Amino acid sequence: MIIHLKQSVSKEEAAKLAAHSKSFHIVYEGTNVLITGSGVKEVPTSLESATDQFWVFPNDMQLSAKSYMSKKRAVKIGKNTIGGDTMNTLMIAGPCSVESEEQIRQSSELLVKNGLSTLRGGCYKPRTSPYSFQGLGLEGLKLLAKMREEFGLAVITEARDATHIEEIIEYTDVIQVGAKAMYDQGILRACAKTNKPVLIKRGFGSTLQEFVQAAEFVLAGGNENVILCERGLRTFETGTRFTLDLCGVAWLQEYTNLPIVLDPSHAMGYAYGVPSLAKACVAMGIDGLLIEVHPDPKVAKSDASQQLDHAQFEKLLGELQPVANSVGYSII
Ligand code: PEP
Ligand code: MN
């Protein structure tokens, strides 16, 4: 259930009304004050006189549902906007991990040279093994901030746990919640308390409903700047790293109001397949594409096999623009 309260209802009155039930949440969305909750089919009597508009939902996809807000949400990332009615596919590119100043500068130069403005690099890496490279941590965040300053790029990096959020919002523009962290309510709730864009990656064993519910945690917690990212599911197939769920993307486009980013790099797991998969993604008319690219992939400290080198990335970019144009989009 979502109730839009009348504009005449003060914040104090709204808080009192929301306190009527433990399952009600109060959400401030722009100038609107909303009460969300579940298991309610009609406006509770206690809220009747304060109610302006009322929605019911068949499940816990509420604030992210197109049936609530038919217009796609727009999220500002640096000087760009992702989603809304932009008809742009935002290229979010960079190495899997920030490894050194020299490396991340080369990545930044590649983006600038190609007219791109959104750099991604991991500093807190959620590795499966404790013996693998774990990321540069705060030192990496400072390098990203330096690149942001020098090159005017927007930067995005992932939070491995809730204690990273403060640092990440100080140094970067977008918080990435990784696939393994999608169920981590500590991270989601901490993201909800900021007003930074949050890019949530779908867990590789998560249903679409669970995925949008992770987004609901951030939306219902008061942060409207949520972006979904499909990055592949674990299936019986072992030839590729994961299986990119394009059916799921069509479902998200049909039923949610959130900008959607696709990540063919993690789905494929091997650089050879990334360009063709990326073209398939862009042909779906998507809001963003996440591509891992490294100055020298063979020495990359994480995800070496899937990262494109700079020449491969530039070739792909040239091939993607006409595909995007054919569905009315532009790569930016
Ligand atoms: C990453 O983006 O580098 C990453 C670790 O991705 P995922 O969370 O999708 O595995
Ligand atoms: Mn990676």
Side-chain angles (χ1 to χ4, degrees):
M1 155 207 95
I2 296 177
I3 292 175
H4 268 199
L5 296 177
K6 289 181 178 157
Q7 295 283 342
S8 55
V9 179
S10 70
K11 284 191 174 176
E12 293 71 30
E13 284 172 285
K16 263 196 219 145
L17 292 170
H20 280 240
S21 164
K22 283 223 176 340
S23 74
F24 290 174
H25 301 264
I26 189 149
V27 182
Y28 301 100
E29 219 181 47
T31 56
N32 292 324
V33 183
L34 338 179
I35 293 181
T36 61
S38 62
V40 181
K41 297 270 174 288
E42 51 194 44
V43 182
T45 342
S46 56
L47 300 186
E48 250 167 26
S49 62
T51 298
D52 184 12
Q53 269 183 286
F54 176 70
W55 291 259
V56 278
F57 303 90
N59 52 44
D60 279 348
M61 183 164 86
Q62 303 199 17
L63 294 161
S64 60
K66 212 175 237 179
S67 57
Y68 166 59
M69 189 187 282
S70 58
K71 204 167 149 17
K72 197 190 299 171
R73 290 175 186 265
V75 177
K76 271 215 59 75
I77 296 185
K79 58 177 190 273
N80 292 312
T81 297
I82 187 168
D85 48 18
T86 59
M87 302 296 278
N88 286 327
T89 300
L90 183 69
M91 176 62 86
I92 302 168
C96 180
S97 300
V98 177
E99 298 170 5
S100 67
E101 179 161 347
E102 167 65 10
Q103 174 238 25
I104 201 67
R105 172 163 287 109
Q106 284 178 269
S107 302
S108 305
E109 285 167 352
L110 173 73
L111 297 191
V112 173
K113 177 179 166 215
N114 288 284
L116 301 172
S117 53
T118 316
L119 173 69
R120 194 205 78 120
C123 300
Y124 292 103
K125 298 304 300 177
R127 306 307 297 279
T128 303
S129 163
Y131 309 116
S132 306
F133 176 62
Q134 306 291 306
L136 294 181
L138 180 59
E139 185 192 339
L141 293 181
K142 289 184 177 166
L143 290 176
L144 285 176
K146 196 166 179 182
M147 297 305 112
R148 174 166 74 164
E149 184 69 28
E150 272 182 40
F151 295 95
L153 298 166
V155 295
I156 154 164
T157 198
E158 93 185 90
R160 197 175 55 217
D161 70 60
T163 61
H164 300 142
I165 302 291
E166 286 291 311
E167 273 177 4
I168 286 177
I169 63 177
E170 182 178 344
Y171 293 103
T172 71
D173 302 287
V174 182
I175 311 164
Q176 175 179 318
V177 177
K180 291 172 191 155
M182 192 206 88
Y183 292 107
D184 186 328
Q185 297 188 5
I187 294 183
L188 296 172
R189 287 175 196 274
C191 288
K193 292 205 183 89
T194 79
N195 57 8
K196 286 271 181 181
V198 184
L199 179 139
I200 305 177
K201 292 186 132 194
R202 180 180 180 186
F204 44 75
S206 307
T207 64
L208 292 163
Q209 182 66 36
E210 289 165 339
F211 187 24
V212 292
Q213 279 167 191
E216 290 282 334
F217 265 102
V218 181
L219 294 165
N223 185 350
E224 298 174 62
N225 302 303
V226 179
I227 303 155
L228 298 176
C229 177
E230 162 59 32
R231 46 76 75 209
L233 302 177
R234 178 159 285 163
T235 65
F236 49 80
E237 185 51 67
T238 55
T240 58
R241 191 177 183 194
F242 294 98
T243 298
L244 192 64
D245 184 14
L246 297 184
C247 295
V249 171
W251 187 94
L252 295 168
Q253 287 176 325
E254 180 72 11
Y255 293 111
T256 78
N257 57 34
L258 298 173
I260 299 165
V261 169
L262 266 70
D263 170 359
S265 297
H266 288 86
M268 185 68 208
Y270 300 97
Y272 76 85
V274 172
S276 52
L277 200 50
K279 284 177 238 170
C281 294
V282 166
M284 290 188 76
I286 53 167
D287 305 297
L289 190 69
L290 193 160
I291 300 285
E292 284 196 342
V293 50
H294 190 286
D296 188 1
K298 61 184 181 307
V299 301
K301 291 189 171 159
S302 57
D303 287 348
S305 63
Q306 71 196 29
Q307 303 201 56
L308 302 184
D309 64 25
H310 287 194
Q312 289 168 328
F313 180 78
E314 289 186 319
K315 180 168 182 283
L316 170 61
L317 204 54
E319 292 168 356
L320 280 178
Q321 201 63 266
V323 179
N325 296 159
S326 74
V327 291
Y329 277 69
S330 301
I331 308 279
I332 59 162

